[in-house]
Amino acid sequence: MYHTHLLGTSERFAVGKIVCLGRNYSEHIKELGNAVPDKPVIFIKPSTSIIPDGGTVVIPDYSNDCHHEVELALLIGLTGKNIPEEKAMGHIAGYGVAIDLTLRDVQSAQKEKGLPWEIAKGFDTSCPLSDFVPATRVKDPHNLQLTLTVNGETRQDGNTSYMMRSIPQIIAEMSEIFTLEAGDVILTGTPAGVSRIESGDVMAGEIEQVGRIEVKVK
Ligand code: MG
């Protein structure tokens, strides 16, 4: 079981499920040639996919095209089901930085066949995840610059203000399907600039006011 920390406090959370939103930034939808969804595109990564800051990503040998997706992560601190939008922010304990690693070649093949995405999205090491800063320390989570560099070169440079679904909307919609438990993590989608990573690369994801995570690729 993976435990995450709420920085500056003694609180630790056993991470349960990681509920992820796809296609939440229009420029990223365009770069992959996807359609803008009317309903949220939701999938789950298991907690066994998490690696901490300083960890090593191992790309499975059934893929030749692993992509980085830097995302704002939400740590749920209060369990809820059918959470109304106006109460959603009260369920967030903290904010963190996640990288939703995706085997794009495998995902594309699965999409074509109408098959599930887990083998492309949920493999071991597919979720580098920082510790979390308490929610009270982030002024406006809908206006945070988020960047990802590979070997020091900027690949993704976006802002959470470009999200199409707001954080309360995401929590409300996800909690209609899944009970969100304390310790669950939500990934809110990635801005444009996703690209391939290779053996030996060093990736760093950073979100202002929230933190930074750096991992290497085996
Ligand atoms: Mg993603």
Side-chain angles (χ1 to χ4, degrees):
M1 184 159 285
Y2 187 88
H3 288 83
T4 192
H5 297 262
L6 202 53
L7 294 166
T9 76
S10 56
E11 280 194 87
R12 293 174 86 222
F13 289 81
V15 178
K17 56 191 172 296
I18 306 164
V19 190
C20 309
L21 183 63
R23 303 183 197 173
N24 199 26
Y25 288 79
S26 57
E27 292 302 315
H28 172 62
I29 292 173
K30 277 186 212 156
E31 74 182 346
L32 292 185
N34 284 319
V36 175
D38 50 349
K39 289 200 173 154
V41 175
I42 293 171
F43 59 94
I44 282 184
K45 285 160 106 83
S47 60
T48 45
S49 66
I50 299 171
I51 56 169
D53 182 43
T56 301
V57 171
V58 181
I59 301 172
D61 57 13
Y62 54 86
S63 172
N64 284 310
D65 195 20
C66 181
H67 279 192
H68 54 76
E69 298 185 354
V70 67
E71 310 200 3
L72 176 67
L74 319 176
L75 175 64
I76 297 296
L78 177 66
T79 297
K81 168 79 178 166
N82 294 324
I83 300 166
E85 281 186 36
E86 58 276 19
K87 294 207 169 143
M89 299 306 276
H91 287 257
I92 301 173
Y95 296 97
V97 186
I99 306 175
D100 170 21
L101 292 174
T102 304
L103 307 177
R104 197 69 70 197
D105 49 354
V106 175
Q107 186 196 30
S108 299
Q110 295 294 95
K111 272 189 201 166
E112 252 170 53
K113 295 180 207 153
L115 292 172
W117 293 0
E118 282 86 349
I119 62 170
K121 288 277 199 181
F123 59 92
D124 287 355
T125 78
S126 65
C127 191
L129 184 66
S130 74
D131 283 332
F132 287 79
V133 295
T136 49
R137 297 228 313 246
V138 175
K139 272 184 225 136
D140 179 6
H142 295 101
N143 184 16
L144 298 172
Q145 203 69 21
L146 66 174
T147 57
L148 185 130
T149 63
V150 179
N151 306 324
E153 179 192 300
T154 301
R155 301 273 179 93
Q156 292 187 271
D157 187 7
N159 191 291
T160 56
S161 62
Y162 306 153
M163 294 196 306
M164 297 188 297
R165 289 188 142 74
S166 69
I167 292 168
Q169 215 177 342
I170 294 168
I171 290 175
E173 288 176 321
M174 285 180 172
S175 72
E176 286 176 14
I177 304 166
F178 307 108
T179 297
L180 296 176
E181 298 181 291
D184 286 347
V185 169
I186 292 174
L187 303 192
T188 54
T190 197
V194 300
S195 70
R196 184 173 182 269
I197 51 168
E198 299 178 358
S199 179
D201 283 346
V202 176
M203 258 181 299
E206 191 163 358
I207 302 178
E208 63 173 326
Q209 296 174 51
V210 171
R212 183 175 190 274
I213 183 168
E214 183 174 304
V215 293
K216 57 183 181 300
V217 184
K218 188 184 175 191

